[in-house]
């Protein structure tokens, strides 16, 4: 994917959970490869829902949605699994596997990608250090604080150097210092690896080094405002 | 504790299936060995005015494996012992030929009747006698057992497969969150199901070992041999081990197929 190509293209996107109750409608927008994008909007406006459609958990009921040139409208599950290997997702509710240790959770995308044990371990160690969780490798998610769990989710999303990072409120539970660490990591991935970063947030940090775009959701429609 | 209960709920139906299948295997094996024993044990006596040869008999009845002429000296000796006073040298020329005829397999009653007819039709044959042995009753009982066990095998199979399916469904629910998260990161089906397959493999191993232990105990007891009445019918432990290989494969097949069906029935998350 070259820098100038659109990596996410939505045309007249329509999303719903219950029949005829639209969450997202009449939305046409595109996100360039290698860009840094914020999505904001009031609570319940459909930000998480929009991200869900990006990773294929909610299929469009109308319009078109393409990620990396692949249409998500009627994607086969095998193709979707393939696509998801290139995504790094941070969920609003973290979605850590509670039966697994912190280390194994972070390793999940690497295991799926089929890396050797050595590579998995080295990469996991490096990332846990980045999110300041060294020493907690063998903890289970429920033994961690909310903010610590969020940082595990961050490490997991970065583990396999994804092409696109989709982050839902990645600093929602963090103090200012930890938030800074997270923003630095996302900026780093964007700057150094050209990763496309899409972040849902309530407040855009004011000292960001990279240029960014801003999408706003209001009454179910996505607007690009800067 | 809860996981132990979960394991037992899979081990019991798997064990039932494997136990029933092995029962069927063993009955079949005993029957075929029994048939070999019976066919050796069995004989037909043919009295003929003319000498008979094996190829000649085989031409009319291919099931005939061996003929043995009963030495006429033997018959004369017996007559002498009984004090019958005749000119033996002369008698020898008048005596017909006596043959013991052996078959290659154990005949059914119908087949025996058929063979008798065929033998009677041969030129020179004057009498055909068959000797039934006590073992025949046991043989028919074994055949009966085999038929019944086939029937029970069917019932056990169906009910147990349903239980296996239920248990795997329960596991699937227990692990569904993890499988869902794995799917969100693009894990293929086999990887998501790996935990269920791992659990099933463990339980299949345990069930197979249980079946092996119970049968090797049962087969080592004197009781069975006495019942069958043949000392030389044995199911060796190698035979049993080989069967276990098949049973293990069957157990794995049942569990894996069930895991796949269960995961197909799941609402699609990918
Ligand atoms: N699984 C679901 N089934 C039905 N309706 C849903 C489901 N998930 C979300 N919704 C509805 O969709 C709307 C948007 O939800 P969404 O989670 O996308 O909001 P959001 O913008 O992420 O809010 P927040 O900022 O609070 O996280 C809400 O009104 C919610 O009730
Ligand atoms: Mg949300």
């Amino acid at each position: 994917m070259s820098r100038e190509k659109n990596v996410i293209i939505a045309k007249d996107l329509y999303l719903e959970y219950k029949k005829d109750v639209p969450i997202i409608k009449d939305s046409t927008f595109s996100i360039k490869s290698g860009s840094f994008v914020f999505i904001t909007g009031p609570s319940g406006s459909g930000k998480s829902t929009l991200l869900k459609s990006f990773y294929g958990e909610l299929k469009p009921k109308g319009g078109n949605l393409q990620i990396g040139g692949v249409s998500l409208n009627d994607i086969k599950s095998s193709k979707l699994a393939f696509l998801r290997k290139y995504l790094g997702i941070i969920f609003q509710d973290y979605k850590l596997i509670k039966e697994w240790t912190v280390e194994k959770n972070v390793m999940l995308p690497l295991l799926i990608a089929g890396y050797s044990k050595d590579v998995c371990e080295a990469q996991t160690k490096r990332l846990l250090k980045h999110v300041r969780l060294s020493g907690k490798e063998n903890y289970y998610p429920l033994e961690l604080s909310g903010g610590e769990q969020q940082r595990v989710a961050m490490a997991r999303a970065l583990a396999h150097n994804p092409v696109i990072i989709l982050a839902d409120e990645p600093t929602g539970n963090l103090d200012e210092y930890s938030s800074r660490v997270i923003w630095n990591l996302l900026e780093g991935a964007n700057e150094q690896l050209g990763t496309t970063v899409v972040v849902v947030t309530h407040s855009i940090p004011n000292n960001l080094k990279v240029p960014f775009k801003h999408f706003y959701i209001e009454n179910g429609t996505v607007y690009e405002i800067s | 504790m809860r996981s132990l209960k979960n394991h037992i709920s899979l081990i019991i139906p798997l064990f039932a299936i494997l136990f029933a299948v092995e029962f069927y295997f063993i009955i079949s094996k005993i029957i075929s060995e029994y048939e070999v024993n019976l066919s050796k044990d069995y004989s037909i006596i043919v009295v003929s005015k003319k000498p008979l040869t094996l190829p000649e008999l085989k031409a009319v009845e291919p099931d005939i494996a061996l003929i043995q002429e009963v030495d006429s000296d033997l018959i004369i000796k017996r007559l002498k012992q009984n004090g019958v006073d005749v000119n033996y040298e002369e008698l020898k020329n008048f005596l017909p030929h006596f043959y013991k005829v052996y078959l290659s397999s154990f005949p059914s009653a119908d087949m025996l009747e058929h063979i008798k007819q065929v033998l009677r039709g041969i030129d020179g044959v004057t009498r055909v006698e068959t000797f039934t042995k006590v073992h025949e009753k046991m043989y028919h009982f074994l055949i009966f057992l085999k038929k019944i066990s086939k029937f029970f095998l069917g019932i056990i199979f169906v009910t147990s497969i349903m239980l296996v399916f239920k248990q795997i469904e329960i596991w699937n629910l227990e692990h569904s969150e993890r499988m869902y998260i794995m799917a969100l990161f693009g894990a293929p089906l086999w990887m998501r199901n790996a935990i269920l397959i791992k659990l099933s493999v463990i339980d299949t191993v345990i069930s197979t070992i249980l079946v092996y232990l119970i049968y090797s105990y049962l087969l080592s007891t004197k009781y069975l041999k006495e019942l069958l009445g043949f000392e030389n019918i044995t199911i060796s432990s190698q035979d049993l081990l080989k069967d276990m290989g098949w049973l293990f494969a069957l157990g794995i097949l049942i569990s894996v197929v069930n895991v796949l069906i269960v995961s197909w029935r799941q609402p699609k998350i990918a």
Side-chain angles (χ1 to χ4, degrees):
Chain A
M1 282 166 227
S2 82
R3 231 156 217 284
E4 282 315 302
K5 263 198 182 152
N6 288 321
V7 71
I8 299 177
I9 302 169
K11 194 163 179 300
D12 300 327
L13 184 64
Y14 180 96
L15 301 172
E16 66 177 21
Y17 292 102
K18 299 196 180 91
K19 204 160 170 36
D20 298 328
V21 184
I23 307 295
I24 299 289
K25 58 180 177 1
D26 305 325
S27 295
T28 298
F29 58 90
S30 54
I31 293 174
K32 280 199 170 43
S33 176
S35 60
F36 202 114
V37 172
F38 286 104
I39 298 173
T40 62
S43 179
S45 58
K47 304 183 295 296
S48 300
T49 303
L50 186 64
L51 282 193
K52 241 184 228 178
S53 73
F54 291 172
Y55 57 80
E57 203 189 348
L58 188 65
K59 303 240 157 85
K61 286 275 154 57
N64 270 306
L65 181 62
Q66 273 191 20
I67 307 282
V70 179
S71 168
L72 287 177
N73 284 55
D74 41 21
I75 190 166
K76 282 213 191 91
S77 59
S78 57
K79 187 138 197 197
L80 184 56
F82 177 79
L83 182 71
R84 282 174 175 170
K85 289 188 200 176
Y86 296 92
L87 306 180
I89 315 170
I90 301 158
F91 302 93
Q92 196 168 9
D93 56 354
Y94 319 140
K95 295 207 195 307
L96 299 176
I97 293 176
K98 58 180 187 296
E99 298 90 347
W100 286 5
T101 60
V102 164
E103 186 182 36
K104 196 163 179 201
N105 266 288
V106 174
M107 251 183 223
L108 175 63
L110 299 167
L111 294 173
I112 291 169
Y115 286 105
S116 73
K117 201 167 172 256
D118 290 351
V119 174
C120 289
E121 278 172 1
Q123 176 77 335
T124 304
K125 205 176 152 79
R126 192 175 71 77
L127 280 159
L128 284 175
K129 202 172 151 202
H130 278 317
V131 297
R132 301 185 307 124
L133 282 174
S134 300
K136 301 237 158 149
E137 288 84 356
N138 293 318
Y139 280 59
Y140 288 89
L142 295 180
E143 297 168 347
L144 301 178
S145 76
E148 284 171 327
Q149 291 180 39
Q150 193 159 28
R151 283 182 277 148
V152 175
M154 180 75 206
R156 179 179 62 181
L158 293 172
H160 50 309
N161 293 330
V163 175
I164 306 171
I165 292 177
L166 303 172
D168 201 344
E169 312 252 12
T171 59
N173 263 313
L174 300 180
D175 59 57
E176 207 165 319
Y177 180 77
S178 296
S179 301
R180 196 59 246 155
V181 171
I182 296 292
W183 293 124
N184 281 341
L185 283 170
L186 291 174
E187 282 181 310
N190 178 252
E191 265 185 332
Q192 284 146 36
L193 303 171
T195 310
T196 308
V197 180
V198 179
V199 186
V200 166
T201 186
H202 278 119
S203 57
I204 298 174
N206 47 26
N207 48 358
L208 218 60
K209 285 175 294 195
V210 297
F212 62 86
K213 289 242 182 282
H214 182 188
F215 290 81
Y216 185 75
I217 305 181
E218 191 168 39
N219 297 327
T221 305
V222 183
Y223 301 99
E224 183 173 340
I225 57 176
S226 72
Chain B
M1 208 49 219
R2 199 189 53 168
S3 81
L4 183 71
K5 205 181 124 212
N6 266 341
H7 275 290
I8 288 173
S9 331
L10 188 68
I11 289 172
I12 288 173
L14 273 178
F15 173 80
I17 294 176
L18 301 186
F19 192 87
V21 171
E22 181 58 24
F23 186 78
Y24 185 76
F25 278 178
I26 285 182
I27 290 276
S28 310
K29 214 168 286 175
I30 287 178
I31 287 176
S32 69
E33 287 209 25
Y34 217 87
E35 282 171 351
V36 172
N37 272 291
L38 285 177
S39 62
K40 276 187 212 141
D41 217 37
Y42 204 91
S43 61
I44 303 170
I45 300 284
V46 175
V47 184
S48 172
K49 281 190 269 186
K50 287 188 194 167
L52 297 173
T53 62
L54 183 61
E56 205 181 325
L57 292 185
K58 260 202 147 110
V60 289
E61 182 49 62
D63 257 340
I64 291 170
L66 191 72
I67 60 167
Q68 218 172 33
E69 175 149 22
V70 183
D71 194 351
S72 56
D73 285 345
L74 255 162
I75 297 165
I76 290 170
K77 207 189 269 171
R78 202 168 296 165
L79 286 175
K80 268 182 182 168
Q81 271 169 0
N82 290 356
V84 181
D85 194 20
V86 281
N87 187 339
Y88 298 111
E89 283 308 309
E90 220 167 283
L91 182 63
K92 218 171 169 177
N93 296 325
F94 285 104
L95 268 180
H97 300 272
F98 292 85
Y99 295 97
K100 270 187 176 170
V101 174
Y102 296 97
L103 302 175
S104 56
S105 63
F106 184 68
S108 67
D110 287 351
M111 192 172 152
L112 195 60
E113 198 50 44
H114 166 77
I115 290 173
K116 257 175 155 175
Q117 295 301 332
V118 169
L119 289 172
R120 278 202 186 110
I122 295 172
D123 185 35
V125 170
T126 55
R127 281 189 77 165
V128 179
E129 289 297 333
T130 57
F131 295 91
T132 30
K133 295 275 160 72
V134 275
H135 292 136
E136 201 174 4
K137 265 190 191 147
M138 186 65 197
Y139 176 74
H140 288 301
F141 176 66
L142 286 174
I143 296 278
F144 175 66
L145 212 56
K146 186 176 172 177
K147 273 185 189 146
I148 292 215
S149 68
K150 212 188 248 176
F151 174 71
F152 275 109
L153 184 61
I155 292 179
I156 290 174
F157 213 84
V158 172
T159 47
S160 302
I161 289 240
M162 269 153 53
L163 290 174
V164 169
F165 186 80
K166 273 280 157 257
Q167 186 52 41
I168 289 178
E169 213 169 28
I170 289 171
W171 279 350
N172 192 291
L173 284 178
E174 267 176 21
H175 298 284
S176 63
E177 194 191 335
R178 177 191 330 186
M179 290 161 79
Y180 160 69
I181 295 171
M182 291 173 92
L184 288 176
F185 281 86
L189 189 67
W190 68 264
M191 196 184 244
R192 279 179 268 153
N193 284 329
I195 176 77
L196 303 187
I197 291 176
K198 201 168 103 190
L199 289 170
S200 326
V201 170
I202 292 172
D203 289 359
T204 309
V205 170
I206 294 173
S207 312
T208 313
I209 291 174
L210 275 179
V211 170
Y212 176 75
L213 290 178
I214 289 180
Y215 275 109
S216 40
Y217 169 73
L218 288 179
L219 293 174
S220 71
T221 55
K222 273 266 177 315
Y223 185 68
L224 183 76
K225 275 181 188 162
E226 280 170 11
L227 186 73
L228 295 174
F230 283 115
E231 266 299 314
N232 60 342
I233 290 185
T234 50
I235 308 288
S236 68
S237 48
Q238 275 113 308
D239 277 348
L240 206 52
L241 273 177
K242 209 160 51 183
D243 283 358
M244 291 309 122
W246 285 110
L247 293 189
F248 181 69
L250 176 70
I252 294 291
L253 184 75
I254 291 173
S255 342
V256 171
V257 167
N258 271 311
V259 167
L260 290 180
I261 295 174
V262 166
S263 65
W264 272 114
R265 278 163 43 115
Q266 278 278 305
K268 287 275 169 286
I269 43 176

